[in-house]
Amino acid sequence: AQSVSQHNHHVILSEAASLELGCNYSYGGTVNLFWYVQYPGQHLQLLLKYFSGDPLVKGIKGFEAEFIKSKFSFNLRKPSVQWSDTAEYFCAVSYGGSQGNLIFGKGTKLSVKP
Amino acid sequence: DVKVTQSSRYLVKRTGEKVFLECVQDMDHENMFWYRQDPGLGLRLIYFSYDVKMKEKGDIPEGYSVSREKKERFSLILESASTNQTSMYLCAIPTADGGREKLFFGSGTQLSVL
């Protein structure tokens, strides 16, 4: 079955530390890849997405993600986190253009210490 | 951007009650989705609808049903609420972005079943 794995359940960092959240997906042909963020008390928001083209994707708030096809990975990165980045981050994959039927990872909670 | 409105932000119900969760969209999209979000489990698809009166089971449909009588409204129904249905429920609409999809989420309904 197709699946998405997020390796870390909870990550705790100090401000200005660099961030990398892992995401791996199972093989299934053509994929669209997403990272969503949910800030405390708020709804899910799209952070960035990869459909095709440049595998290094820039998102909002200084986040980026790199699609590495050979590793089935789409890791999220930020060079210097801020306290306001405290949130839960979800990786998601859709296969073969299946509209909206995303498979989500279990989420990674990020806590940034001021 | 599409606007996805979930009528209740918080609901408290008793075991055995019938519960209706409403989701309304403002842009005539065919597809609408219901997810639930639980700590450590991430987002899981309950049901989706691809047109009026059309519905498909997602990954965890047991204990739920849905109704799509009008295009703009997609209701999730808990026929007899149970404590294990305490969760955050999210409605989502997929939209096209350069030929591929991304999801817009509602604010969520936090349901507590006592």
Side-chain angles (χ1 to χ4, degrees), chain A residues 9 30 32 34 36 38 41-44 46 49 51 88 90 94 97-102 104-106, chain B residues 9 31 33 35 37 40-43 45 48 88 90 94-97 100-103 105-108:
Chain A
H9 182 60
T30 303
N32 302 321
F34 306 80
Y36 287 88
Q38 186 172 26
Q42 296 187 28
H43 58 275
L44 277 169
L46 181 66
K49 61 188 184 293
F51 290 160
E88 189 154 16
F90 292 90
S94 68
S98 55
Q99 192 178 35
N101 194 2
L102 292 182
F104 284 86
K106 293 183 178 180
Chain B
R9 189 65 194 269
N31 296 338
F33 292 73
Y35 290 88
Q37 181 183 6
L41 295 176
L43 282 157
L45 182 64
F48 64 99
M88 169 70 81
L90 291 157
T95 64
D97 180 345
R100 303 292 181 90
E101 75 282 7
K102 67 178 181 181
L103 283 181
F105 287 88
S107 300

Side-chain angles (χ1 to χ4, degrees), chain A residues 23 33 54 65 75 98 102:
Chain A
C23 173
L33 298 155
D54 188 345
N75 292 355
S98 55
L102 292 182

Side-chain angles (χ1 to χ4, degrees), chain A residues 60-80:
Chain A
I60 59 172
K61 304 185 180 184
F63 286 91
E64 64 178 32
E66 186 175 12
F67 170 50
I68 302 180
K69 192 174 181 180
S70 60
K71 294 184 179 180
F72 302 101
S73 70
F74 191 56
N75 292 355
L76 182 70
R77 299 194 294 248
K78 186 170 183 178
S80 176

